[in-house]
Amino acid sequence: MTEVVTAAQMRGIESAAIEAGAVTGAALMERAGAGVVAAILRQWPEAQSATILCGPGNNGGDGYVIARLLAERWWDVRVLGMGDAEAMPPDARANRAAWQGEVAPLTRANLEAATDTDIVVDAIFGTGLTRAPAGEVLSVLKALGDCAAPLVAVDAPSGLCLDRGIPLAREGSVPKCDLTVTFEVPKIGHFIADGPACCGALEVVDLGLSHWRGKLGADTTRLIDAVPMVPPTEGTPHILPNFRKKTGHKYDNGHALVVSGGPSKTGAARLAARAALRIGAGLVTVASPPTALAENAMQLTAIMTRRCGGAAGLSEILEDARFTALCLGPSLGVGEQTRAMVRAALGPRFVVLDADALTSFEEDPSELFEAIAAVGEPERVILTPHGGEFGRLFPDENAALDAGDISKLDAVREAAQRSGAVVLLKGADTVIASPDGRSSIHAAHCARSVPWLATAGAGDVLAGLIAGLAARSDDLHRAAADATWLHVEAARAFGPGLIAEDLPEMVPRVLRDMGV
Ligand SMILES: NC(=O)C1=CN([C@@H]2O[C@H](COP(=O)(O)OP(=O)(O)OC[C@H]3O[C@@H](n4cnc5c(N)ncnc54)[C@H](OP(=O)(O)O)[C@@H]3O)[C@@H](O)[C@H]2O)[C@@H](O)CC1
Ligand SMILES: Nc1ncnc2c1ncn2[C@@H]1O[C@H](COP(=O)(O)OP(=O)(O)O)[C@@H](O)[C@H]1O
Ligand SMILES: [K+]
């Protein structure tokens, strides 16, 4: 996993390196510009001409470096610049002065006149965007959407808030780029909300600041981009700590319990149970209301069934301490009976609460949060809402998110603090946050785009994967992150046409391909 940072964290890394005397701002700008040029040459080896749009700050400074380096390669380069050269920060001003060619004003008319260009480079705003673009520059940003030539963003598509992944002006005010080249470490806004769709493909240029990146705090957000592997030692292959089952008895790999809904509402639990078993829980049992026991038993073989009469029945089953993880909520029904089952479920084991187990607390979410606090052990519970369920449990955070006042990441972080649970907010961008301050993001975009995963029951499978991994784990956040990655990986392996039943069946292939 790699870090993803806020604009402020990035500025912190940069200024720490400069203050330590390890590098100058000018050198960083040169590396940044050279990195963008290298990415352009790799992506469009036939291109010969570029129009570079330069803003008034250091993002614009990168643009002037790019212009110079492309001109040195005999490209036909046109520069449109914004603002007064004298008002630019020093390194940007120096690079603007070093540009030998003309700088035409950055206007919509000048952009639209540049029809004969192979590439357009957006170096207008990067991490320094502080307010919504307006006036002529807003008009330029909107016109960029109509450019026929490929569009390359320097650090960020201009107008995109790199902390929140939303346009600071309004919809349509951030150009949709073909390639975004960012520096040293990707930013949160590249991966959440509208960020991925605006960025296109994302490349990260190494600026040589890893020493200062290493000083980021433990609460730095992680990107779920791959499952970390222990490097091979002589004679042993890569080891995937969380996916490899423990050798030994089946109970060494935990026992997951999935609670089923009543008659004709049992499919969701079976989906979750099958996912839990496939991902490697040693045993999986479906706890079923007596009236649905036959329906469940008829369709389950390796997965066991247990008669479970409501909350009292669940408490009785859970007297067996060998149940290490529990999943409840999918198709369980909304109301007091489900609330009572949630209260019965909370205890010395990992509990995944999804769907109706969340919606049942819509009227009084604090009742759920108090019950979680009463468990007395941190990070035993994970809530896995989709957007609608999140709004029911966390109306304040959701309102701030909808208003664009906070990012999806911050909304989930606040939800984790408020609830005392790990919170996983689903979507094409999935965000996970823990009460201990950890957070992770998965973006199902570009190479990992799986729009066919938005299919009925996919969320039940995710809940089951988390329960299955948690059953034999001691780290719920990590189990949720790995399950999220694997869920998308299974959808990628299957491809379009996927239905939820296919997801657990793809797990063995994914594990095999990973060399588990
Ligand atoms: N970090 C690193 O390691 C490295 C960073 N590098 C590069 O530096 C970039 C960050 O540079 P930066 O801080 O100068 O900010 P940037 O994005 O150019 O914008 C600031 C300018 O825009 C203006 N402005 C803002 N909003 C506006 C609006 N709505 N409408 C109009 N104007 C607006 C703002 O004006 P002000 O707010 O001061 O009035 C100021 O003039 C970063 O993205 C990367 O490309 C690399 O060179 C090397 C390594
Ligand atoms: N566009 C998308 N790309 C990738 N994954 C998606 C997309 N939309 C939804 N998902 C994933 O699909 C699942 C849907 O879950 P959920 O909304 O609970 O549906 P259900 O209740 O039908 O199972 C979640 O894991 C979510 O992250
Ligand atoms: K930019």
Side-chain angles (χ1 to χ4, degrees):
M1 283 193 262
T2 42
E3 304 101 343
V4 261
V5 298
T6 60
Q9 281 177 307
M10 185 66 226
R11 277 192 291 276
I13 294 171
E14 183 195 19
S15 51
I18 292 173
E19 277 162 27
V23 68
T24 62
L28 286 179
M29 192 170 278
E30 195 69 23
R31 284 180 207 168
V36 176
V37 168
I40 291 173
L41 296 177
R42 265 195 308 276
Q43 189 79 20
W44 293 281
E46 307 288 317
Q48 296 277 324
S49 63
T51 300
I52 321 273
L53 315 180
C54 297
N58 289 322
N59 196 249
D62 296 345
Y64 290 102
V65 174
I66 295 164
R68 169 165 44 79
L69 296 179
L70 288 176
E72 283 171 5
R73 305 182 74 92
W74 303 106
W75 278 44
D76 182 8
V77 179
R78 184 171 1 208
V79 175
L80 307 185
M82 181 177 168
D84 176 8
E86 292 312 304
M88 294 180 87
D91 298 324
R93 190 176 357 145
N95 278 302
R96 180 166 176 162
W99 167 242
Q100 307 272 314
E102 193 195 337
V103 180
L106 179 65
T107 62
R108 182 176 189 139
N110 282 340
L111 174 65
E112 285 173 347
T115 49
D116 55 339
T117 189
D118 292 338
I119 307 277
V120 176
V121 175
D122 161 14
I124 306 176
F125 303 123
T127 51
L129 184 77
T130 48
R131 56 192 184 279
E136 188 63 32
V137 74
L138 178 60
S139 177
V140 167
L141 293 178
K142 288 181 168 175
L144 273 174
D146 301 326
C147 272
L151 184 56
V152 179
V154 177
D155 211 4
S158 294
L160 183 77
C161 169
L162 280 176
D163 292 343
R164 284 171 282 168
I166 57 170
L168 271 193
R170 64 186 94 95
E171 223 159 288
S173 63
V174 176
K176 294 227 174 352
C177 298
D178 297 281
L179 171 68
T180 295
V181 183
T182 191
F183 307 120
E184 189 62 28
V185 50
K187 319 299 177 291
I188 285 154
H190 289 131
F191 298 104
I192 57 174
D194 304 322
C198 296
C199 289
L202 184 70
E203 281 199 31
V204 184
V205 170
D206 181 10
L207 295 183
L209 303 178
S210 59
H211 175 76
W212 289 273
R213 206 173 65 215
K215 296 188 186 305
L216 286 166
D219 62 349
T220 300
T221 304
R222 305 272 153 176
L223 183 67
I224 309 170
D225 54 354
V227 168
M229 299 205 249
V230 176
T233 52
E234 210 171 325
T236 62
H238 278 87
I239 298 174
L240 303 132
N242 228 22
F243 288 151
R244 176 164 288 185
K245 286 180 86 158
K246 297 186 186 97
T247 52
H249 199 268
K250 63 190 174 196
Y251 279 104
D252 292 337
N253 287 297
H255 191 168
L257 186 74
V258 182
V259 181
S260 165
S264 80
K265 300 258 187 243
T266 58
R270 284 196 303 277
L271 278 174
R274 193 150 178 99
L277 192 61
R278 280 280 187 217
I279 192 54
L283 305 88
V284 179
T285 294
V286 168
S288 173
T291 47
L293 200 57
E295 189 179 315
N296 272 317
M298 256 185 313
Q299 300 183 68
L300 294 172
T301 309
I303 294 165
M304 298 170 284
T305 46
R306 280 280 290 270
R307 173 188 295 267
C308 173
L314 184 60
S315 296
E316 210 174 290
I317 293 173
L318 291 175
E319 280 169 17
D320 182 345
R322 288 175 300 181
F323 286 109
T324 48
L326 178 66
C327 168
L328 86 166
S331 293
L332 209 54
V334 174
E336 176 48 31
Q337 191 175 345
T338 295
R339 285 195 292 276
M341 288 189 99
V342 170
R343 287 191 294 268
L346 298 175
R349 66 193 71 82
F350 291 123
V351 180
V352 183
L353 298 180
D354 186 39
D356 293 345
L358 308 175
T359 301
S360 290
F361 290 93
E362 180 176 11
E363 301 275 294
D364 184 10
S366 65
E367 187 193 339
L368 174 62
F369 308 155
E370 281 159 22
I372 291 169
V375 172
E377 282 183 62
E379 314 224 340
R380 291 273 134 191
V381 182
I382 181 166
L383 315 178
T384 57
H386 56 51
E389 289 153 356
F390 185 82
R392 287 171 211 143
L393 283 188
F394 305 103
D396 297 346
E397 290 77 3
N398 197 52
L401 175 60
D402 280 349
D405 294 341
I406 58 173
S407 70
K408 183 166 176 172
L409 173 65
D410 288 334
V412 179
R413 276 184 162 150
E414 285 178 22
Q417 293 304 323
R418 182 178 292 253
S419 64
V422 180
V423 178
L424 180 154
L425 176 50
K426 292 183 272 201
D429 53 351
T430 293
V431 174
I432 309 170
S434 290
D436 70 4
R438 283 182 294 168
S439 58
S440 308
I441 293 176
H442 181 279
H445 287 284
C446 287
R448 297 189 66 72
S449 172
V450 281
W452 51 88
L453 183 53
T455 181
D460 308 329
V461 173
L462 179 66
L465 290 173
I466 298 170
L469 278 175
R472 55 194 180 80
S473 157
D474 55 5
D475 183 344
L476 191 52
H477 187 113
R478 171 77 193 277
D482 287 349
T484 302
W485 184 87
L486 191 86
H487 191 232
V488 169
E489 210 57 20
R492 290 179 68 207
F494 192 93
L498 175 101
I499 59 173
E501 280 96 327
D502 301 322
L503 286 166
E505 307 321 303
M506 292 312 289
V507 168
R509 194 218 278 188
V510 172
L511 296 181
R512 198 167 52 240
D513 288 352
M514 294 171 74
V516 174

